[in-house]
Amino acid sequence: MGVYIGGVAAVSIQEPLSEEGIFRPVAYSSPQVRCIEPEFRKFLEPMVARRMSKIVKRAIVASSVALEEAGIPMPDAIVSGTGLGCVEDTEKFLDAMVRNGEHCLQPTFFIQSTHNTISSQIAIRLGCHGYNNTHVHRGISFESALQETMLLFGKGSIHSALVGGYDELTPPYFRLLGRIGYWREEVKNSLHIVQEPAAGTFAGEGSVAFALSENAQGAWAQIEGVSISYACPDFTREAGLFLHRLGLNWKDVDVVMTGKNGDLENDRVYRNLSLPAGQTTAVYKPLCGEFFTAPAYGMYAAAVCLKQGMLPASLAEDGKEIKGIRRILLLNHWQEKDYSFILLSSCGD
Amino acid sequence: MEELIVKLKNEIIDVLNLEGMAPEDIADDAPLFGEGLGLDSIDALELIVLMEKNYGIKLKDPNEGKAIFRSVKTMADYIEKNRKF
Amino acid sequence: MENVVISGMGIISALGCGVEQTLRALREERSGIGPLKYLQTEHWDIPCAEVPFSDEELRERLGLSAEEVVTRTALLGMVALQEAWQTADLRHTPDKRLAFINGTTVGGMEKSEQYYLDFLENDSRNAYIAAHECGACTEKIADFMGGFSYVTTLSTACSSAANAIILGENLIRAGLTDIAVVGGSECITKFHLNGFHTLMILDDAPCRPFDATRAGLNLGEGAAYVVLEKESSARKRGIQPLCRLAGYGNACDAFHQTASSEEGTGAVLAMREALKTSGLQPSDIDYINAHGTGTRNNDASEGRAIMQVFGKHTPRVSSTKAMTGHTTSASGSVEAVIAVLAIRYGFIPANLRFGEAMPELSFTPVPHTLENVKVRNVLSNSFGFGGNNSSLIFSAVDPGA
């Protein structure tokens, strides 16, 4: 039984809840770009939304759109990935505590500070009592969550799931990460960030939700496999083994979509991959910016490609559109310690 | 008292983030919890913080809040009698 | 289906360092709850269950220099991982794939709250910026021993470590790893002490779980890991399994961000699921190590849920949080170690300070350590904020098998 993406929705730095940003992405000229917000009022009653931070609102909107599209009113499991969790509320509580002392602190900010707020708020909203978990492992938080979900499908304990990658980045946290070399001082055109490599990249944000089921009908793509690996000594070999375990090899892969972000050190790892000659490659981080769960946006972009059967110029690393795409391998690494592999294929006709 | 009630309503709207609500939308004696404004246990905790921060009143037990937070009127009465500043 | 067993374990908590000290403290009914010694806070008068070692002492024990960039959560994790590693004899496993799954919520917050203004204003503490992340904490712990090819972090508040155990068993069953070292690590921070304080659920005296007069929880800290592998794998390595992981359940209460539903819907589902996966009947359970935080809400909700699942014949119940404090993200594995000890040594740990029965419950907890009890199956509950409820069942293994 395969696992299929029945619905997907993204709130990102591109137009929210729309594929428009994949084909005609907006270019930015700033090292920090925040999400373009959807109209929250259309989805959330003010009384319910009043205590929710942005990341929770975005996650709820993205997840409800994805579930609705897939026709899954109640998923069997909700598994989320978030690298940093609810930063905005964590900072509000921390800032007040450090600056004003340990009194008169507001409980709401503490309650919403925990990483599992997102998964649990989605569950509360749906009244979903199923399996619920949150993965918080740096740049592979989303893939880790997705892999666990695939295990649950594999052993037959679930037949549908909501999986997502959710991260927000506040201006103070952006500055902190800037101090340790994450970002460029200047960005001329975010869409050209990979073609103009330098030290650092630009920061994005995003909430990307996928409704998964065993129903191939009308699905965006099939998830053939997901794997994470720690400190793997040979990225290319590991990717080959991943394909091998799925009964495939490199020639079965139409597009390799990498986590290149224009940062010299980050991208060196991908440049050092020994891919087959003439392998088509694609990149998505120029569209969504770098954040801990950016690979969720990558999987969204790949799913859009497979649904359309083409790789648009906006994603192709050489800028050339290609038709007839049937299988995409997503590769990502985080600081050469955490590695991830996702294989998607088209559901065919 | 009238002044305190209006001030209090504004503070409640602000701290509980009751977007789009104006002081005149909250009747002085309308229940804040349950049927009325529909506030919950976390709001009660926020109101306890509000009382301490803005009026110097410390409540030790959240249960004490139940009677005090029945309505804006009961809250204002309690503040009037117990405020430190 | 082949058994997944526990082949080693390590622990550090307010009860001391290591399995031996923990066992002794449990049997002697010694509580680790008391005045704060290490955490610098305005709330010095709130009792907590601190690990009785300073950061410097922990560094020394681990052979780490003062310059090493490491947070207390990671230090605690390293101590527990080292012991788990040794007891399961993981030195000689080059042909095995090893996974490390850590549960934490605090991560590096303990340093972030100290260095927050430096972070914002100067470069003096830059090394600790990335150490804030939960995942960074996990990697620091993993790298201390090395050899892991799968590393991830879970955060579901107070059930994080229990969910790490569940994920570990799923990975082994799916053949994605041979051995999984799983559990959680969490230190006390000002951030979380104040957080729980704003919720008005901290008792200003040592806690009394399942007591009619209970007035809240005491925060604790610690780390614990258990080593999971298939029984055949352990025996082939010459390791006598300590017990087996017989069942588990994960469900969501889906009721409220911090409170449990009155009837404990999520708790009932998690316990029933654990029973189902274990193939055991409620009557097979000899002991329930309850979540039992000592808050008004948890103990009432969990107690009702236990009544619903077990009916009139409730097994013996105790909350060991009256000794360890609430070690939040680590509690699932701290209590897993306690469950294993109860099975191995045949005793039921005490629910300290119990005096008055809760009128709404049909059972009362075990007030004092019961020795010489045959304990074959233990149910361990871990319930987190946001309704993240998980239950685990540990069972004795036949020594001769």
Side-chain angles (χ1 to χ4, degrees):
Chain A
M1 186 75 69
V3 177
Y4 301 89
I5 302 171
V8 53
V11 175
S12 70
I13 65 174
Q14 300 297 335
E15 186 174 333
L17 312 175
S18 158
E19 292 156 52
E20 184 65 20
I22 301 279
F23 298 100
R24 279 165 289 277
V26 178
Y28 295 94
S29 54
S30 157
Q32 183 180 21
V33 185
R34 305 206 66 183
C35 281
I36 305 176
E37 308 292 2
E39 229 185 293
F40 291 124
R41 276 165 198 280
K42 272 172 46 187
F43 300 89
L44 289 159
E45 314 75 62
M47 204 56 187
V48 174
R50 71 200 163 91
R51 273 203 295 256
M52 291 176 180
S53 61
K54 281 203 191 80
I55 188 172
V56 173
K57 284 196 245 183
R58 290 170 189 163
I60 287 184
V61 169
S63 57
S64 53
V65 172
L67 287 170
E68 191 175 315
E69 189 193 3
I72 301 171
M74 187 69 77
D76 291 342
I78 297 172
V79 188
S80 302
T82 175
L84 291 177
C86 303
V87 177
E88 188 182 316
D89 280 353
T90 303
E91 267 173 3
K92 280 182 186 162
F93 196 82
L94 184 58
D95 196 85
M97 183 180 88
V98 172
R99 293 183 197 276
N100 312 328
E102 299 173 63
H103 46 80
C104 296
L105 296 168
Q106 290 187 255
T108 302
F109 300 139
F110 174 67
I111 291 165
Q112 308 259 30
S113 75
T114 55
H115 300 73
N116 65 331
T117 303
I118 302 162
S119 267
S120 74
Q121 283 292 332
I122 295 172
I124 290 169
R125 188 153 173 88
L126 293 173
C128 178
H129 295 293
Y131 193 94
N132 193 294
N133 208 356
T134 301
H135 292 240
V136 296
H137 197 76
R138 318 199 85 177
I140 58 152
S141 302
F142 168 71
E143 298 94 306
S144 183
L146 182 65
Q147 192 193 31
E148 180 181 34
T149 311
M150 294 295 282
L151 288 182
L152 298 176
F153 272 107
K155 63 177 206 164
S157 64
I158 61 168
H159 303 284
S160 62
L162 177 77
V163 183
Y166 314 101
D167 269 297
E168 63 179 355
L169 191 65
T170 60
Y173 213 116
F174 167 81
R175 283 205 302 281
L176 257 57
L177 295 178
R179 278 182 191 287
I180 52 174
Y182 275 52
W183 320 123
R184 293 188 191 179
E185 299 227 329
E186 259 180 66
V187 174
K188 273 184 239 135
N189 182 331
S190 58
L191 296 176
H192 299 159
I193 198 113
V194 168
Q195 280 74 32
E196 292 158 9
T201 181
F202 81 107
E205 287 182 313
S207 284
V208 187
F210 300 88
L212 309 183
S213 80
E214 293 164 335
N215 182 8
Q217 196 115 53
W220 290 71
Q222 179 179 2
I223 304 174
E224 292 190 288
V226 186
S227 183
I228 63 172
S229 176
Y230 188 64
C232 77
D234 186 337
F235 201 5
T236 312
R237 186 170 171 273
E238 196 72 25
L241 288 172
F242 170 70
L243 293 172
H244 182 74
R245 283 197 299 273
L246 296 165
L248 301 166
N249 58 48
W250 285 104
K251 70 172 171 19
D252 299 309
V253 175
D254 297 317
V255 178
V256 174
M257 197 179 264
T258 70
K260 277 190 187 173
N261 65 14
D263 174 62
L264 281 165
E265 269 191 49
N266 175 72
D267 292 0
R268 182 176 32 117
V269 177
Y270 301 109
R271 279 197 304 275
N272 290 345
L273 284 166
S274 359
L275 300 177
Q279 174 69 59
T280 304
T281 57
V283 289
Y284 56 88
K285 286 183 181 171
L287 276 62
C288 66
E290 183 63 274
F291 55 99
F292 286 81
T293 46
Y297 190 87
M299 188 161 109
Y300 166 55
V304 170
C305 294
L306 291 166
K307 177 120 183 172
Q308 306 283 344
M310 55 93 85
L311 177 71
S314 52
L315 292 167
E317 199 168 352
D318 62 5
K320 288 182 192 135
E321 182 182 311
I322 296 179
K323 294 223 160 42
I325 299 296
R326 299 191 57 85
R327 193 175 270 126
I328 299 178
L329 173 65
L330 285 131
L331 299 178
N332 187 47
H333 81 92
W334 184 257
Q335 297 181 345
E336 296 180 62
K337 286 201 99 171
D338 303 293
Y339 296 82
S340 73
F341 313 83
I342 302 176
L343 191 70
L344 294 191
S345 62
S346 66
C347 296
D349 301 305
Chain B
M1 192 68 180
E2 262 318 296
E3 206 180 313
L4 175 63
I5 284 182
V6 175
K7 179 168 177 273
L8 199 51
K9 284 179 184 171
N10 278 312
E11 288 169 343
I12 291 172
I13 289 169
D14 181 46
V15 75
L16 302 184
N17 203 7
L18 301 171
E19 233 180 286
M21 235 184 209
E24 47 281 16
D25 297 333
I26 308 172
D28 294 1
D29 49 6
L32 290 173
F33 292 83
E35 289 285 297
L37 212 48
L39 303 183
D40 67 8
S41 59
I42 298 173
D43 295 310
L45 294 170
E46 289 288 356
L47 293 181
I48 290 173
V49 176
L50 186 158
M51 299 253 288
E52 183 177 353
K53 206 171 179 175
N54 299 359
Y55 303 98
I57 300 170
K58 270 193 188 185
L59 296 186
K60 274 296 252 182
D61 181 357
N63 279 329
E64 275 181 82
K66 274 188 187 146
I68 301 164
F69 302 143
R70 229 173 30 232
S71 67
V72 176
K73 176 85 171 56
T74 57
M75 221 175 137
D77 283 341
Y78 188 85
I79 290 171
E80 195 71 17
K81 285 191 197 101
N82 296 283
R83 62 190 297 170
K84 303 282 186 294
F85 44 79
Chain C
M1 208 159 53
E2 194 188 342
N3 287 338
V4 168
V5 298
I6 292 177
S7 57
M9 57 191 189
I11 186 169
I12 183 167
S13 76
L15 299 184
C17 182
V19 171
E20 279 303 316
Q21 285 191 18
T22 307
L23 176 65
R24 210 172 320 134
L26 288 170
R27 292 180 119 164
E28 292 169 0
E29 300 185 3
R30 215 164 53 231
S31 165
I33 296 163
L36 280 162
K37 194 171 162 195
Y38 302 110
L39 185 78
Q40 301 300 310
T41 166
E42 293 169 31
H43 301 298
W44 54 271
D45 54 341
I46 296 179
C48 288
E50 275 183 317
V51 166
F53 304 104
S54 67
D55 287 3
E56 292 67 35
E57 288 165 330
L58 291 170
R59 278 175 190 265
E60 198 176 325
R61 179 183 283 268
L62 294 160
L64 300 176
S65 70
E67 289 76 45
E68 182 84 28
V69 175
V70 60
T71 61
R72 188 169 171 88
T73 297
L75 287 170
L76 297 174
M78 289 174 187
V79 174
L81 177 62
Q82 195 173 39
E83 187 186 20
W85 192 276
Q86 285 159 358
T87 55
D89 196 16
L90 296 182
R91 276 172 307 169
H92 307 297
T93 53
D95 54 330
K96 302 273 186 190
R97 290 164 301 165
L98 263 59
F100 181 58
I101 307 166
N102 187 42
T104 188
T105 302
V106 161
M109 179 58 87
E110 158 253 353
K111 286 285 188 290
S112 302
E113 66 188 21
Q114 288 175 45
Y115 300 154
Y116 178 71
L117 294 176
D118 290 323
F119 280 178
L120 290 173
E121 287 156 16
N122 62 62
D123 287 327
S124 66
R125 302 293 185 182
N126 282 1
Y128 278 95
I129 289 176
H132 173 79
E133 297 156 30
C134 293
C137 217
T138 301
E139 290 185 2
K140 195 82 196 176
I141 300 167
D143 292 348
F144 180 67
M145 298 312 293
F148 294 104
S149 58
Y150 176 107
V151 172
T152 196
T153 313
L154 299 178
S155 186
T156 55
C158 305
S159 57
S160 305
N163 284 324
I165 293 173
I166 295 175
L167 177 57
E169 118 93 58
N170 275 329
L171 282 180
I172 291 169
R173 292 244 182 258
L176 293 177
T177 190
D178 300 308
I179 294 174
V181 185
V182 293
S185 180
E186 197 111 294
C187 75
I188 299 180
T189 61
K190 275 201 312 191
F191 186 97
H192 292 84
L193 185 66
N194 277 283
F196 282 94
H197 187 62
T198 64
L199 300 179
M200 301 181 96
I201 53 173
L202 292 175
D203 196 339
D204 52 19
C207 66
R208 308 178 289 289
F210 294 107
D211 188 284
T213 67
R214 71 198 181 282
L217 60 85
N218 306 129
L219 267 190
E221 64 179 354
Y225 299 103
V226 296
V227 180
L228 299 178
E229 61 187 304
K230 285 190 173 161
E231 184 164 2
S232 58
S233 157
R235 293 201 188 271
K236 222 174 275 168
R237 299 198 300 115
I239 306 280
Q240 168 70 37
L242 298 170
C243 77
R244 69 189 174 93
L245 176 61
Y248 52 85
N250 164 314
C252 189
D253 202 32
F255 173 71
H256 188 272
Q257 191 56 38
T258 55
S260 301
S261 60
E262 205 167 312
E263 298 305 318
T265 313
V268 169
L269 289 168
M271 285 189 276
R272 287 202 171 132
E273 180 71 16
L275 284 165
K276 199 175 112 191
T277 53
S278 70
L280 296 169
Q281 295 303 312
S283 57
D284 294 326
I285 301 296
D286 303 304
Y287 166 51
I288 299 175
N289 185 292
H291 187 55
T293 57
T295 64
R296 303 295 304 174
N297 174 244
N298 177 80
D299 294 4
S301 170
E302 183 179 11
R304 284 200 197 91
I306 288 173
M307 283 162 58
Q308 213 175 311
V309 173
F310 290 90
K312 280 189 193 137
H313 304 288
T314 315
R316 291 177 168 121
V317 178
S318 74
S319 164
T320 42
K321 289 188 175 71
M323 288 187 261
T324 62
H326 189 356
T327 57
T328 54
S329 288
S331 63
S333 52
V334 163
E335 287 158 28
V337 169
I338 294 173
V340 175
L341 291 173
I343 291 170
R344 299 281 297 168
Y345 294 91
F347 74 103
I348 308 277
N351 186 112
L352 291 193
R353 300 180 209 95
F354 171 76
E356 195 181 320
M358 290 168 60
E360 61 269 55
L361 301 186
S362 60
F363 67 91
T364 57
V366 175
H368 294 289
T369 311
L370 286 177
E371 292 285 354
N372 303 313
V373 183
K374 193 166 185 188
V375 184
R376 297 220 26 109
N377 302 303
V378 178
L379 175 81
S380 177
N381 282 339
S382 294
F383 304 149
F385 270 9
N388 279 131
N389 295 351
S390 290
S391 299
L392 305 168
I393 295 176
F394 301 96
S395 298
V397 278
D398 193 348

